[in-house]
Amino acid sequence: MFINRLSTIRRRAAAGTALVLAGSLALAACGGGGDDSGGGATQAQAVSQADIDKAMSTPTQLTFWTWVPNIQKEVDLFQKKYPAIKVKVVNAGQGTPHYTKLRTALKAGTGAPDAAQIEFQYIPTFSLTKSLVDLRPYGAEGLKDKFVPWTWNQVTGADGQVWAIPQDSGPMGMLYRKDIFDKYGITVPKTWDEFAAAARKLHAADPKVYMTNLAQNQAGVWFGLLWQAGVKPFENPTAESVKVNLNSDESKKLADYWGGLIKDGAVSADADFNDGWYQALNRGKYATWLTAAWGPVFLEGSAKATSGKWRAAPLPQWEAGQNVSGNWGGSTTAVVQGTKNPIAAAKLAEFINTDPESTKMFATEQFLFPVTKALLADTSFVDRPLTFYGGQTVNKLFAGISDTVDTKFQWPPFLDQSVSDWNETVGKSFANKSDSSAALDQWQERITKYAENQGFKVEQ
């Protein structure tokens, strides 16, 4: 059971981490299969309730690709309500295997599922290639108010299309070792200046303990920190153009900040989610972990020896008095272009992500962090004290943080390449303790060249 739970949470962590597929596959592989119905800017005609009722009472077989373990339980709830609809749940893999198989099926025009799990950051990659169905004709617009605003914006197209239904998220906060803070007289930092001062104080007192670890292989965290700082690395992505601004003054402020702490030895840059990193968490090498709302449960299973020593707090702020955060991870249920059963598939996506019993099951059995306003206000979820965190109501903290995530952050239509190039530029600068600001220039140059080679007009 716990292995499955960690598998799910590692999937949250892998967002933006794996090198996935570089090259033109990210764009070209989605071009085939299906017509443009529901995939373009023009909204298709709304489906009548009579048509929905007919579709949901007609014997139908759906195929649903998802990596979430034990999701059959949520699907069973759907099938209980709609007994005519049978859903075949397929785990096509996680990360690279999942997206590779989906792209291959779309290009071939056969073998694609009716519905699929898609992470927030991959929505543009698939929607801009007309690989997802616009869910507005099936009543999706009426679901908007059920979700935290920023998560709804992540699935909404430039022309109002609804490309998927949010399922889980990863608003970012800070987990910290209270015992280490107490031992060295460190107060919980409220600003990044305070964080840097505490990091240098800790390093001077004990060079073997680091204030935190900013992993050299973790682009997902970097995007989350950019998000919190109000940086817009990508804007207005379309099938023809995208604005790329990876080395803005604000981005370089982050690069100089973190690169400086790493050079000073106050922050480490170890690769994460490997044996060495797990051992470091258990022996107290890191005083904090800058992570997402799925992190507390993950840490509880990965650092059992430290139970009771951790607490949670919001991320430090760039300006005193601010209250903003970013996001790391999260996914959706999308309907795949070419499905012969769009109504049933759309209702599957809607049901499992809005039904109270289903959404609570995701949060309490698969430990996915909620995106619905109702569950984030549910006292049985948010007020539950966690022994691992000294009885702190950590879910309540992260529920509040979720409301502070900027709604306007956007992703590129070539995420794979962006992550790969980050690892080879900015991530490498952390590993080598070299100039991280110059590495941002390299990242900008590489992505600009790649996008132009793929036919995009790049605005800067």
Side-chain angles (χ1 to χ4, degrees):
M1 172 65 180
F2 191 71
I3 293 174
N4 284 338
R5 179 172 75 176
L6 287 187
S7 176
T8 302
I9 299 171
R10 286 193 184 108
R11 186 69 202 107
R12 308 277 74 74
T17 302
L19 294 185
V20 227
L21 295 180
S24 59
L25 180 61
L27 300 171
C30 299
D35 56 33
D36 290 343
S37 60
T42 302
Q43 182 176 0
Q45 184 175 356
V47 175
S48 70
Q49 186 60 49
D51 287 337
I52 293 174
D53 293 342
K54 180 180 179 181
M56 301 311 289
S57 60
T58 300
T60 303
Q61 174 78 52
L62 296 178
T63 300
F64 177 30
W65 285 9
T66 173
W67 56 78
V68 177
N70 300 320
I71 199 172
Q72 187 66 51
K73 293 183 178 181
E74 287 84 354
V75 169
D76 286 345
L77 294 175
F78 170 78
Q79 293 181 139
K80 182 178 180 180
K81 182 173 181 179
Y82 301 107
I85 313 298
K86 304 303 179 186
V87 182
K88 181 181 179 181
V89 176
V90 177
N91 186 337
Q94 298 184 15
T96 301
H98 176 85
Y99 293 119
T100 300
K101 290 176 183 177
L102 182 56
R103 288 163 171 152
T104 300
L106 285 163
K107 186 175 183 180
T110 184
D114 298 280
Q117 197 100 14
I118 303 287
E119 292 162 291
F120 286 132
Q121 66 269 26
Y122 279 95
I123 293 293
T125 296
F126 286 97
S127 65
L128 292 176
T129 49
K130 299 182 179 180
S131 301
L132 304 180
V133 173
D134 181 2
L135 300 179
R136 287 178 295 177
Y138 313 105
E141 283 181 302
L143 304 176
K144 177 179 179 180
D145 290 341
K146 293 181 180 291
F147 294 92
V148 177
W150 74 265
T151 66
W152 190 256
N153 280 25
Q154 288 285 296
V155 302
T156 304
D159 296 302
Q161 305 97 326
V162 178
W163 294 122
I165 307 299
Q167 184 166 107
D168 64 284
S169 67
M172 291 184 68
M174 180 178 71
L175 305 181
Y176 67 95
R177 283 283 297 267
K178 184 179 184 300
D179 59 327
I180 295 176
F181 275 29
D182 289 347
K183 179 178 179 179
Y184 295 103
I186 296 172
T187 57
V188 178
K190 297 185 182 303
T191 68
W192 287 114
D193 285 343
E194 292 176 1
F195 184 93
R200 293 188 169 94
K201 176 182 178 179
L202 180 59
H203 177 65
D206 188 346
K208 294 182 180 179
V209 180
Y210 297 85
M211 186 64 174
T212 199
N213 180 66
L214 191 67
Q216 61 188 262
N217 63 325
Q218 195 53 266
V221 170
W222 187 253
F223 279 120
L225 293 173
L226 290 176
W227 198 329
Q228 188 219 12
V231 178
K232 302 294 189 294
F234 303 101
E235 293 182 88
N236 306 321
T238 71
E240 293 79 30
S241 66
V242 62
K243 183 175 182 179
V244 179
N245 193 14
L246 301 172
N247 58 347
S248 65
D249 290 344
E250 294 85 356
S251 294
K252 290 198 170 185
K253 179 180 178 180
L254 262 70
D256 291 340
Y257 177 89
W258 289 107
L261 287 173
I262 291 170
K263 287 179 184 178
D264 291 346
V267 167
S268 60
D270 304 332
D272 60 6
F273 298 100
N274 56 37
D275 288 342
W277 183 77
Y278 295 129
Q279 292 169 14
L281 284 173
N282 277 280
R283 70 172 186 266
K285 181 178 180 180
Y286 315 125
T288 74
W289 183 25
L290 308 178
T291 187
W294 43 260
V297 173
F298 179 88
L299 190 64
E300 187 175 344
S302 300
K304 293 180 180 179
T306 61
S307 179
K309 298 178 179 180
W310 291 87
R311 300 293 185 273
L315 287 179
Q317 303 292 306
W318 285 105
E319 294 182 15
Q322 278 188 328
N323 186 22
V324 295
S325 190
N327 179 74
W328 173 20
S331 63
T332 73
T333 307
V335 176
V336 179
Q337 190 64 251
T339 175
K340 296 179 180 179
N341 304 292
I343 295 176
K347 290 305 174 182
L348 170 67
E350 174 183 331
F351 179 90
I352 63 173
N353 296 311
T354 61
D355 175 75
E357 187 176 356
S358 178
T359 56
K360 194 161 189 176
M361 197 177 289
F362 277 133
T364 58
E365 296 196 20
Q366 283 101 352
F367 300 96
L368 306 182
F369 193 75
V371 289
T372 62
K373 295 176 183 177
L375 191 49
L376 290 173
D378 185 337
T379 55
S380 68
F381 175 72
V382 299
D383 289 342
R384 183 168 62 91
L386 301 182
T387 303
F388 190 87
Y389 296 90
Q392 185 179 4
T393 52
V394 174
N395 289 337
K396 178 178 284 187
L397 174 79
F398 278 98
I401 291 173
S402 185
D403 285 335
T404 72
V405 176
D406 181 17
T407 62
K408 296 182 173 59
F409 193 87
Q410 295 179 294
W411 298 100
F414 36 76
L415 181 73
D416 297 344
Q417 191 68 33
S418 301
V419 170
S420 175
D421 284 346
W422 184 90
N423 286 339
E424 295 176 11
T425 56
V426 182
K428 188 175 181 179
S429 76
F430 293 156
N432 297 338
K433 297 186 177 181
S434 56
D435 189 339
S436 297
S437 183
L440 281 178
D441 293 332
Q442 297 168 9
W443 191 25
Q444 173 78 23
E445 181 180 356
R446 290 173 69 144
I447 288 300
T448 298
K449 183 178 295 184
Y450 173 82
E452 290 176 343
N453 287 341
Q454 296 300 311
F456 288 94
K457 177 183 178 182
V458 178
E459 303 174 18
Q460 299 186 38

